[in-house]
Amino acid sequence: MPIWMLLRFFLPARFAGEQWEPKGFAVQLIGLAITLLTASEQSLPLQLSLYNLFVVLVYFFHWSALNHPVMQSIDQKIPSLTLADGSCWPSAGLLSDHCENDSEGESPLEANGGYLVVFLRGTFCADSRAQLYQLAQGQYRLEKNNVKLVLVSTEPAERWPQLWPGESAPAVLQLSSSAPANRAFIAPASVPIWFRLLGPWVRRWAGSGQVRCADSVTAAASGGAACRPSAWLLDDAGYIVWRYLPGNYRMPGSGEFLCGQVSRLED
């Protein structure tokens, strides 16, 4: 299990787990735990099995599973988000704010365009970084439909473009983790505890190819709050055309699935 967790952390695009663990597997683990706890003689192998079972349960069902509160529905405007620098996005209905290569006073998109706003849990999350690779593969579909990709997280904005495998990195917004306006999008203390504890160790021992992952661990350890994964398809006026609110952080939605929704703008 620890080896699998390390492979998932450093190579998320190559090693991907199931997005949803079967409930039957959880029942089997609980049954095994009861058996081990009620054993009259707990030898060393039984104790090791119990410890491994605990690691598996924490890895699959730990407390950083995320549930969304009541959110804005379709045909409503996306709420104004407070960024880390104190500004708001979008402000005055102009979605071009904080997006690169947008000229002041000009509409960043042509008619029938839109935005795909993706909230990412964090660079420490293997599922989020795997989703980043998938979004890069589907970027051609967004460009074809004149849709601009916007990434949102609580981490410094410069970390995500470093992980972007494509040529042109999308716009990235750093959300304030303490602003009241962002409460629906933020999950307090949702960074796994082992990343907070092992952040300095990973930074010290990670090789040059993993420095970006190590930096993200240190940043996550300093905060603790992360975004609830979600995706929002907006038209050029900021109205919600489609939204995806997964009930668990391990189901952020594949990039192919999210990019395939842009055709809804034509309806």
Side-chain angles (χ1 to χ4, degrees):
M1 177 59 67
I3 294 176
W4 173 251
M5 293 171 64
L6 289 174
L7 291 174
R8 288 268 293 143
F9 176 70
F10 289 114
L11 301 172
R14 182 177 301 179
F15 297 95
E18 294 183 0
Q19 295 297 321
W20 180 258
E21 284 71 33
K23 295 182 179 180
F25 181 65
V27 174
Q28 293 178 5
L29 291 176
I30 294 174
L32 178 59
I34 295 175
T35 302
L36 294 174
L37 289 173
T38 56
S40 58
E41 295 182 1
Q42 292 189 3
S43 61
L44 181 59
L46 283 176
Q47 293 179 6
L48 292 177
S49 299
L50 183 61
Y51 297 149
N52 284 322
L53 174 63
F54 175 76
V55 172
V56 171
L57 288 174
V58 171
Y59 176 68
F60 283 146
F61 306 103
H62 60 74
W63 290 332
S64 61
L66 308 175
N67 292 314
H68 290 272
V70 178
M71 307 289 283
Q72 278 70 19
S73 60
I74 296 175
D75 294 333
Q76 293 182 345
K77 278 196 172 185
I78 190 171
S80 181
L81 305 174
T82 302
L83 304 184
D85 59 3
S87 61
C88 294
W89 186 95
S91 61
L94 298 177
L95 294 182
S96 59
D97 295 349
H98 299 279
C99 292
E100 298 178 357
N101 301 326
D102 290 339
S103 299
E104 185 176 358
E106 297 179 359
S107 177
L109 298 174
E110 300 173 0
N112 300 325
Y115 289 83
L116 179 61
V117 184
V118 180
F119 287 79
L120 299 168
R121 183 168 175 250
T123 55
F124 61 88
C125 177
D127 292 307
S128 295
R129 287 183 284 118
Q131 187 183 47
L132 201 68
Y133 283 87
Q134 297 162 0
L135 289 171
Q137 295 176 355
Q139 192 176 21
Y140 72 94
R141 183 177 297 180
L142 300 180
E143 295 176 351
K144 180 180 179 181
N145 290 271
N146 202 29
V147 175
K148 183 171 235 179
L149 178 63
V150 179
L151 305 178
V152 184
S153 76
T154 58
E155 298 180 5
E158 60 270 14
R159 284 194 166 85
W160 292 102
Q162 296 177 359
L163 298 173
W164 182 258
E167 295 182 358
S168 57
V172 183
L173 306 177
Q174 182 183 359
L175 210 61
S176 172
S177 58
S178 59
N182 301 335
R183 288 178 180 174
F185 297 91
I186 297 294
S190 61
V191 176
I193 186 63
W194 48 81
F195 285 118
R196 304 187 204 180
L197 297 176
L198 299 179
W201 181 87
V202 174
R203 185 181 181 89
R204 185 182 303 112
W205 292 101
S208 58
Q210 313 298 343
V211 171
R212 289 172 292 186
C213 293
D215 291 341
S216 66
V217 172
T218 305
S222 62
C227 284
R228 290 184 170 94
S230 63
W232 305 76
L233 183 63
L234 312 176
D235 61 13
D236 54 359
Y239 284 92
I240 302 170
V241 178
W242 173 81
R243 65 178 189 174
Y244 177 66
L245 305 175
N248 189 285
Y249 79 95
R250 293 181 63 81
M251 300 183 295
S254 67
E256 181 181 1
F257 168 69
L258 299 182
C259 293
Q261 307 301 316
V262 297
S263 59
R264 295 174 181 267
L265 288 170
E266 301 176 358
D267 297 339

